[in-house]
Amino acid sequence: MLSTYTYPRYSSGRAPELDDAPGTVRRHPVVVVGAGPVGLAAAIDLAQRGTPVLLLDDDKTVSVGSRGLCYAKRTLEVLDRLGCGQPVVDKGVTWNVGRTFLETEEVFQFNLLPEAGHERPGMVNLQQYYLEEYLVKRAQALPALQMRWEHKVTAVQPDADGATLTVQTADGNFTLRADWLVVADGARSPIRRLLGLDIEGKVFQDRFLIADVVMKADFPTERWFWFDPPFHPGQSVLLHREADNVWRIDFQLGWDADPEAEKQPERVIPRIQAMLGPEREFTLEWVSVYTFQCRRMKRFRHGRVLFAGDAAHQVSPFGARGANSGIQDVDNLGWKLQLVLQGQAPEALLDSYDAERVTAADENLLNSTRSTDFITPKTAMSRRFRNAVLEMARDFPFARALVNSGRLSVATHLDHSPLNTPDIDTGDAAFSGWMAPGAPLDDAPVRLDGREGWLLRQIDGFTLLVFGPGGLTPQDLAALPLPVRLLRVQPAGQAGAGELEDVQGLIAKRLDARPGTAYLLRPDQHVAARWRRADAARVHAALHRALSHATPAHAPAAAP
């Protein structure tokens, strides 16, 4: 039990399948297993798109302990689209600045959001149980989504047309069919083990103590990280603020520490008192000792079985890349699976889920491993390097950039995605900046029909941004194989009805746009293609490529 949170208890009642006639096997378009943040996000995403979803979980409440904590800007933007972003921001603790100390001296700091003109902050801290509660509430409001609590999947038999699942409940067992199975059942993934699938990587031989404490403190809402502080010599410590006056403290313990002994209050409380001082009043809220791994499955797609989140890949907690990368997995997956189910894209489109999110996982694993190696060096050489960097960081800016106490989660640039249409060589009209095909779209303030808003709120489904007057019209896009919304962007004071007003000029600046520039955006708000001058043929070819990996032979010829 926690002093600051009361756990909800969810119930599904008796499974209706148990009362079906013998031999009846119900079939579902999509079954999602796991009602953590990733499974809930996947089910909500698909249900919002009109796809019927069955969500199964073997528990009846949200996660125990605060567990995941930091939700990055890109994740908040995804949660906005899922209808849960604002509650997370309202309840959570917003921060952008992180500071790193050697002993008592600051040697490095960063700002996750160094420029204005974004709706969401760089990071929000919130205990995972709150996020899951908000996601459950949203899921319960969606007619296309069935949630089943205390339904444990005990067997999975995949085949070419889906998978057969055996489900265990307190009232009995039953069998169901899934055309597609999304597996989000966590790092230990029972389904991954049932299918005999491997996950490979590195186990780090170190232990860390998490202590969530309730206290009133006037510390800034920043991330503080210490190397070799006087209150915990020779090790590292991390401090974060959470909601409800809860503070997360991570103490590095070393591999030889006894996990059970270190969780006892008589060991935890003196560590915290040494850090905060004897006069600081606090109470323990949650304590855990953990180790971690950096590893992933070779492939995230296995026919019609799709893995996401910790079931597919695991990283160290340094950098907040766990839940953030998992939620971005399902942001990538949902629109693709929907189009395949609707017959608007071939199953091959789902190979791009594997290609893109394996790339993202490798990026996260690389950054996570580098952070962990810096924080917990395992060889004499790496320790000498780490210590030299920290010492030089006191005086030399170049060394401060090498300090790595956890590179924080950011959205992956899918530069080499098979869905991208490469830029056309246009000489002096080439693009500058980072909004190349594969990049996640930057946000910016807008005005639409007199209402203030944000650019990313306008992008849901394939969208063509066209800058300035003239050029393509909705009629030009009518022959495309699926709807593409045309949004015309005009400078401040020049927008007409239904047009986006670039109120601060930030859209044009960040996209290096000029009159006639066009950007094709995917439903997950990544850039699919861009042109200095677009026509219907080019848009058709780019859309087809974004749906099925190849430019069609029957596409209209592109303008020269």
Side-chain angles (χ1 to χ4, degrees):
M1 295 296 293
L2 302 179
S3 65
T4 59
Y5 184 76
T6 300
Y7 281 91
R9 291 291 182 264
Y10 302 114
S11 175
S12 306
R14 179 179 170 85
E17 290 87 349
L18 296 174
D19 299 319
D20 286 341
T24 302
V25 177
R26 300 194 186 196
R27 192 176 192 111
H28 301 266
V30 179
V31 174
V32 178
V33 179
V38 176
L40 282 161
I44 291 168
D45 189 354
L46 289 162
Q48 285 187 162
R49 299 178 187 280
T51 298
V53 182
L54 176 64
L55 175 60
L56 305 176
D57 192 85
D58 61 4
D59 203 352
K60 60 180 178 181
T61 189
V62 295
S63 64
V64 176
S66 64
R67 299 173 66 89
L69 171 64
C70 303
Y71 304 106
K73 177 177 179 291
R74 181 61 195 142
T75 299
L76 296 171
E77 292 162 352
V78 175
L79 292 174
D80 280 337
R81 188 173 54 73
L82 300 181
C84 303
Q86 197 59 48
V88 170
V89 174
D90 290 344
K91 181 65 178 179
V93 175
T94 294
W95 65 277
N96 292 311
V97 174
R99 302 183 187 275
T100 300
F101 302 87
L102 175 59
E103 298 174 348
T104 59
E105 182 179 349
E106 183 177 324
V107 295
F108 176 70
Q109 70 169 273
F110 59 82
N111 189 333
L112 293 173
L113 199 66
E115 60 178 9
H118 296 266
E119 181 181 9
R120 292 311 183 196
M123 198 74 70
V124 166
N125 288 355
L126 184 66
Q127 296 92 312
Q128 183 173 319
Y129 42 74
Y130 278 119
L131 172 62
E132 291 185 17
E133 183 180 336
Y134 300 150
L135 287 165
V136 169
K137 183 177 180 180
R138 175 61 180 150
Q140 291 171 333
L142 296 170
L145 204 168
Q146 293 185 59
M147 298 188 68
R148 303 281 191 87
W149 302 98
E150 296 184 289
H151 279 53
K152 181 179 180 179
V153 176
T154 58
V156 178
Q157 294 180 312
D159 55 51
D161 297 321
T164 301
L165 280 64
T166 301
V167 182
Q168 180 186 85
T169 75
D171 299 311
N173 300 348
F174 64 90
T175 300
L176 61 81
R177 285 284 297 169
D179 293 338
W180 293 89
L181 177 63
V182 178
V183 181
D185 57 351
R188 294 181 177 87
S189 187
I191 290 181
R192 191 182 65 229
R193 293 201 302 270
L194 285 171
L195 295 178
L197 297 173
D198 293 331
I199 185 166
E200 299 176 352
K202 180 179 180 181
V203 178
F204 287 85
Q205 294 189 345
D206 209 335
R207 302 189 196 280
F208 288 79
L209 168 72
I210 289 179
D212 278 6
V213 302
V214 182
M215 66 177 179
K216 293 184 179 180
D218 56 359
F219 304 142
T221 53
E222 300 172 342
R223 176 189 189 263
W224 287 0
F225 192 103
W226 289 267
F227 289 99
D228 195 19
F231 53 82
H232 193 51
Q235 304 283 19
S236 63
V237 179
L238 177 64
L239 176 69
H240 271 294
R241 183 179 178 180
E242 307 175 59
D244 302 330
N245 290 319
V246 177
W247 295 77
R248 161 73 59 84
I249 307 173
D250 286 47
F251 292 97
Q252 184 182 6
L253 298 176
W255 183 242
D256 294 332
D258 182 332
E260 291 306 314
E262 293 294 346
K263 288 190 292 186
Q264 302 309 310
E266 59 267 24
R267 300 286 286 271
V268 177
I269 290 173
R271 292 190 189 280
I272 299 173
Q273 288 174 329
M275 176 182 181
L276 302 176
E279 72 285 351
R280 178 76 63 181
E281 294 183 2
F282 65 87
T283 57
L284 291 179
E285 181 76 339
W286 183 61
V287 176
S288 178
V289 173
Y290 65 90
T291 58
F292 49 84
Q293 306 174 30
C294 289
R295 58 182 190 162
R296 71 163 172 85
M297 299 176 68
K298 290 182 179 179
R299 292 180 291 117
F300 298 171
R301 180 188 177 194
H302 293 263
R304 291 196 167 196
V305 180
L306 304 154
F307 288 81
D310 285 352
H313 48 78
Q314 294 129 45
V315 294
S316 82
F318 305 116
R321 295 172 180 273
N324 286 295
S325 62
I327 288 174
Q328 291 173 57
D329 284 347
V330 297
D331 184 49
N332 185 290
L333 175 62
W335 65 273
K336 296 174 180 178
L337 185 51
Q338 178 214 20
L339 291 176
V340 170
L341 285 163
Q342 293 177 340
Q344 294 180 303
E347 287 191 19
L349 178 60
L350 291 166
D351 292 334
S352 74
Y353 166 69
D354 186 88
E356 292 180 345
R357 294 313 298 172
V358 164
T359 296
D362 285 343
E363 178 182 299
N364 283 319
L365 287 165
L366 176 63
N367 281 287
S368 182
T369 300
R370 286 174 173 173
S371 295
T372 304
D373 284 340
F374 193 88
I375 294 167
T376 63
K378 295 300 182 291
T379 68
M381 181 63 71
S382 59
R383 182 172 292 276
R384 284 196 293 270
F385 170 79
R386 195 278 303 274
N387 292 345
V389 167
L390 290 170
E391 289 292 338
M392 288 189 295
R394 299 177 191 267
D395 303 307
F396 300 106
F398 84 89
R400 292 172 197 147
L402 298 175
V403 175
N404 191 342
S405 58
R407 302 285 191 241
L408 272 295
S409 173
V410 295
T412 300
H413 287 238
L414 305 171
D415 299 329
H416 303 294
S417 168
L419 307 189
N420 295 345
T421 295
D423 285 340
I424 299 170
D425 184 5
T426 52
D428 61 357
F431 289 88
S432 63
W434 55 86
M435 287 290 102
L441 183 67
D442 271 349
D443 206 2
V446 298
R447 187 178 295 117
L448 177 62
D449 295 333
R451 298 187 300 274
E452 305 292 335
W454 295 92
L455 176 60
L456 291 180
R457 298 278 190 167
Q458 308 300 321
I459 313 301
D460 188 10
F462 277 99
T463 304
L464 188 71
L465 292 183
V466 177
F467 289 81
L472 289 169
T473 68
Q475 290 72 30
D476 295 322
L477 306 182
L480 295 175
L482 77 165
V484 174
R485 182 187 181 196
L486 189 148
L487 270 179
R488 194 172 299 281
V489 183
Q490 300 284 17
Q494 299 182 30
E499 297 180 334
L500 284 184
E501 184 177 353
D502 190 2
V503 292
Q504 296 181 14
L506 289 175
I507 307 176
K509 178 182 177 182
R510 290 170 177 165
L511 276 66
D512 186 29
R514 59 190 69 171
T517 296
Y519 276 74
L520 179 63
L521 304 171
R522 299 169 12 164
D524 57 8
Q525 301 170 336
H526 282 257
V527 176
R530 60 181 180 175
W531 305 271
R532 286 298 179 198
R533 181 172 62 88
D535 57 33
R538 282 178 174 159
V539 175
H540 183 283
L543 178 64
H544 192 280
R545 182 165 184 151
L547 293 175
S548 59
H549 302 190
T551 302
H554 62 275

